Coordinates of all heavy atoms in Angstrom, one line a residue:
T1 N -4.3 18.0 -9.1 CA -3.0 17.3 -8.8 C -2.3 17.8 -7.5 O -1.5 17.1 -7.0 CB -2.1 17.4 -10.0 OG1 -1.7 18.8 -10.2 CG2 -2.7 16.9 -11.3
Q2 N -2.7 18.9 -7.0 CA -2.2 19.5 -5.8 C -3.0 19.1 -4.6 O -2.6 19.5 -3.5 CB -2.0 21.0 -5.9 CG -1.2 21.5 -7.1 CD 0.2 20.9 -7.0 OE1 0.9 21.0 -5.9 NE2 0.7 20.3 -8.0
H3 N -4.1 18.4 -4.8 CA -5.0 18.0 -3.7 C -4.3 16.9 -2.9 O -3.8 15.9 -3.4 CB -6.3 17.6 -4.2 CG -7.2 17.1 -3.1 ND1 -7.9 17.9 -2.2 CD2 -7.7 15.8 -2.8 CE1 -8.6 17.2 -1.4 NE2 -8.5 16.0 -1.8
H4 N -4.3 17.1 -1.5 CA -3.7 16.0 -0.7 C -4.8 15.1 -0.2 O -5.8 15.5 0.4 CB -3.1 16.7 0.6 CG -2.6 15.7 1.6 ND1 -1.5 14.9 1.3 CD2 -3.0 15.4 2.8 CE1 -1.3 14.1 2.4 NE2 -2.2 14.4 3.3
I5 N -4.7 13.8 -0.6 CA -5.6 12.8 -0.2 C -5.0 11.9 0.9 O -3.8 11.5 0.8 CB -6.1 11.9 -1.4 CG1 -7.2 11.0 -1.0 CG2 -4.9 11.1 -2.0 CD1 -7.9 10.4 -2.2
H6 N -5.7 11.7 2.0 CA -5.2 11.0 3.1 C -5.1 9.5 2.8 O -5.8 9.0 1.9 CB -6.0 11.2 4.4 CG -5.9 12.5 5.0 ND1 -6.6 13.6 4.7 CD2 -5.0 13.0 5.9 CE1 -6.3 14.7 5.4 NE2 -5.2 14.3 6.2
T7 N -4.2 8.8 3.5 CA -4.1 7.4 3.3 C -5.2 6.6 4.0 O -5.8 7.1 5.0 CB -2.7 6.9 3.8 OG1 -2.7 7.2 5.2 CG2 -1.6 7.6 3.1
E8 N -5.5 5.5 3.5 CA -6.6 4.6 4.1 C -6.0 3.2 4.2 O -5.4 2.7 3.2 CB -7.9 4.6 3.3 CG -8.5 6.0 3.2 CD -9.6 6.1 2.2 OE1 -9.5 5.6 1.1 OE2 -10.7 6.7 2.6
Y9 N -6.2 2.5 5.3 CA -5.7 1.1 5.4 C -6.5 0.2 4.5 O -7.7 0.3 4.3 CB -6.0 0.7 6.9 CG -5.7 -0.8 7.1 CD1 -4.4 -1.2 7.3 CD2 -6.7 -1.7 7.0 CE1 -4.1 -2.6 7.5 CE2 -6.4 -3.1 7.2 CZ -5.2 -3.5 7.4 OH -4.9 -4.9 7.6
Y10 N -5.7 -0.7 3.8 CA -6.4 -1.7 3.0 C -5.7 -3.0 3.1 O -4.6 -3.1 3.6 CB -6.4 -1.3 1.5 CG -5.1 -1.4 0.8 CD1 -4.8 -2.5 0.0 CD2 -4.1 -0.4 0.9 CE1 -3.6 -2.6 -0.7 CE2 -2.9 -0.5 0.2 CZ -2.6 -1.6 -0.6 OH -1.4 -1.7 -1.2
E11 N -6.4 -4.1 2.8 CA -5.9 -5.4 2.9 C -6.4 -6.3 1.8 O -7.6 -6.2 1.4 CB -6.3 -6.0 4.2 CG -5.9 -7.5 4.5 CD -6.3 -8.0 5.8 OE1 -6.7 -7.2 6.7 OE2 -6.2 -9.2 6.0
V12 N -5.5 -7.1 1.2 CA -5.9 -8.1 0.2 C -5.4 -9.4 0.8 O -4.2 -9.6 1.0 CB -5.3 -7.8 -1.2 CG1 -5.7 -8.9 -2.2 CG2 -5.7 -6.5 -1.7
S13 N -6.3 -10.3 1.1 CA -6.0 -11.6 1.7 C -5.4 -12.5 0.6 O -5.5 -12.3 -0.6 CB -7.2 -12.3 2.3 OG -8.2 -12.6 1.3
G14 N -4.8 -13.6 1.0 CA -4.3 -14.6 0.1 C -5.4 -15.2 -0.8 O -5.2 -15.5 -1.9
E15 N -6.6 -15.4 -0.1 CA -7.7 -16.0 -0.9 C -8.2 -15.0 -2.0 O -8.4 -15.4 -3.1 CB -8.8 -16.3 0.1 CG -10.1 -16.9 -0.6 CD -11.2 -17.2 0.4 OE1 -11.0 -16.9 1.6 OE2 -12.2 -17.8 -0.1
A16 N -8.3 -13.7 -1.6 CA -8.7 -12.7 -2.6 C -7.7 -12.6 -3.7 O -8.1 -12.5 -4.9 CB -9.0 -11.4 -1.9
A17 N -6.4 -12.5 -3.3 CA -5.4 -12.4 -4.4 C -5.4 -13.6 -5.3 O -5.2 -13.4 -6.5 CB -4.0 -12.3 -3.7
G18 N -5.6 -14.8 -4.8 CA -5.7 -16.0 -5.7 C -6.9 -15.9 -6.6 O -6.7 -16.2 -7.8
S19 N -8.0 -15.4 -6.2 CA -9.2 -15.3 -7.1 C -8.9 -14.2 -8.1 O -9.3 -14.5 -9.3 CB -10.4 -14.9 -6.3 OG -10.8 -15.9 -5.3
I20 N -8.3 -13.1 -7.8 CA -8.0 -12.1 -8.7 C -7.0 -12.5 -9.8 O -7.2 -12.3 -11.0 CB -7.5 -10.8 -8.0 CG1 -8.6 -10.2 -7.1 CG2 -7.0 -9.8 -9.0 CD1 -8.1 -9.2 -6.1
N21 N -6.0 -13.2 -9.3 CA -4.9 -13.7 -10.2 C -5.5 -14.7 -11.2 O -5.2 -14.7 -12.4 CB -3.8 -14.3 -9.5 CG -3.0 -13.3 -8.7 OD1 -2.9 -12.1 -9.2 ND2 -2.4 -13.6 -7.6
R22 N -6.4 -15.6 -10.7 CA -6.9 -16.6 -11.6 C -7.8 -16.0 -12.7 O -7.8 -16.3 -13.9 CB -7.8 -17.6 -10.8 CG -6.9 -18.7 -10.1 CD -7.8 -19.8 -9.6 NE -8.8 -19.3 -8.6 CZ -8.6 -19.2 -7.3 NH1 -7.4 -19.4 -6.8 NH2 -9.5 -18.7 -6.5
A23 N -8.6 -15.0 -12.2 CA -9.5 -14.3 -13.2 C -8.7 -13.6 -14.3 O -9.0 -13.6 -15.5 CB -10.4 -13.3 -12.5
R24 N -7.6 -12.9 -13.8 CA -6.8 -12.2 -14.8 C -6.1 -13.1 -15.7 O -6.1 -12.9 -16.9 CB -5.8 -11.4 -14.0 CG -5.0 -10.3 -14.8 CD -6.0 -9.2 -15.2 NE -5.2 -8.1 -15.7 CZ -5.8 -7.1 -16.3 NH1 -7.1 -7.1 -16.5 NH2 -5.1 -6.1 -16.8
R25 N -5.6 -14.2 -15.2 CA -4.9 -15.2 -16.1 C -5.8 -15.8 -17.1 O -5.4 -16.1 -18.2 CB -4.3 -16.3 -15.2 CG -3.4 -17.2 -15.9 CD -2.6 -18.1 -14.9 NE -3.5 -18.8 -14.0 CZ -3.6 -18.6 -12.7 NH1 -2.8 -17.6 -12.1 NH2 -4.4 -19.3 -11.9
E26 N -7.1 -16.0 -16.7 CA -8.0 -16.7 -17.6 C -8.8 -15.7 -18.5 O -9.7 -16.1 -19.2 CB -9.0 -17.5 -16.7 CG -8.2 -18.7 -16.0 CD -9.1 -19.3 -14.9 OE1 -10.3 -18.9 -14.8 OE2 -8.5 -20.2 -14.2
G27 N -8.5 -14.4 -18.3 CA -9.2 -13.4 -19.2 C -10.6 -13.1 -18.8 O -11.4 -12.7 -19.6
R28 N -11.0 -13.4 -17.5 CA -12.3 -13.1 -17.0 C -12.4 -11.7 -16.5 O -11.4 -11.1 -16.1 CB -12.7 -14.1 -15.9 CG -12.8 -15.5 -16.5 CD -13.3 -16.5 -15.4 NE -12.2 -16.9 -14.4 CZ -12.3 -16.7 -13.1 NH1 -13.3 -16.1 -12.6 NH2 -11.3 -17.1 -12.4
R29 N -13.6 -11.1 -16.6 CA -13.8 -9.7 -16.1 C -13.7 -9.6 -14.6 O -14.2 -10.5 -13.9 CB -15.2 -9.2 -16.5 CG -15.3 -8.8 -18.0 CD -16.6 -8.0 -18.2 NE -17.8 -8.6 -17.7 CZ -19.0 -8.0 -17.7 NH1 -19.1 -6.8 -18.3 NH2 -20.1 -8.6 -17.3
I30 N -13.0 -8.5 -14.2 CA -13.0 -8.2 -12.8 C -13.8 -6.9 -12.6 O -13.6 -5.9 -13.2 CB -11.5 -7.9 -12.3 CG1 -10.7 -9.2 -12.5 CG2 -11.5 -7.4 -10.9 CD1 -9.2 -9.0 -12.2
I31 N -14.9 -7.1 -11.8 CA -15.8 -6.0 -11.6 C -15.7 -5.5 -10.1 O -16.0 -6.3 -9.2 CB -17.3 -6.5 -11.9 CG1 -17.3 -7.0 -13.3 CG2 -18.3 -5.4 -11.6 CD1 -18.6 -7.8 -13.6
A32 N -15.3 -4.3 -9.9 CA -15.1 -3.7 -8.6 C -16.4 -3.1 -8.1 O -17.1 -2.4 -8.9 CB -14.0 -2.6 -8.6
V33 N -16.8 -3.5 -6.9 CA -18.1 -3.0 -6.4 C -17.7 -1.8 -5.5 O -17.2 -1.9 -4.4 CB -18.8 -4.0 -5.5 CG1 -20.0 -3.4 -4.9 CG2 -19.2 -5.2 -6.4
G34 N -17.8 -0.6 -6.1 CA -17.5 0.6 -5.4 C -16.1 1.2 -5.7 O -15.2 0.4 -6.0

């Protein structure tokens, strides 16, 4: 818990956010690759 982890730039596009929200709303599995 005392380890300092550096920040990393990330981005979620509108298209990706829409796909994630639909899957979550419909109870479908979200599988993260990595």
Side-chain angles (χ1 to χ4, degrees):
T1 64
Q2 299 303 309
H3 176 72
H4 175 70
I5 189 167
H6 285 93
T7 61
E8 296 170 316
Y9 172 85
Y10 76 99
E11 178 178 348
V12 179
S13 67
E15 181 180 4
S19 296
I20 294 163
N21 289 331
R22 285 192 298 274
R24 192 67 168 172
R25 185 169 58 248
E26 295 166 6
R28 296 186 278 122
R29 283 197 305 179
I30 298 175
I31 302 167
V33 177

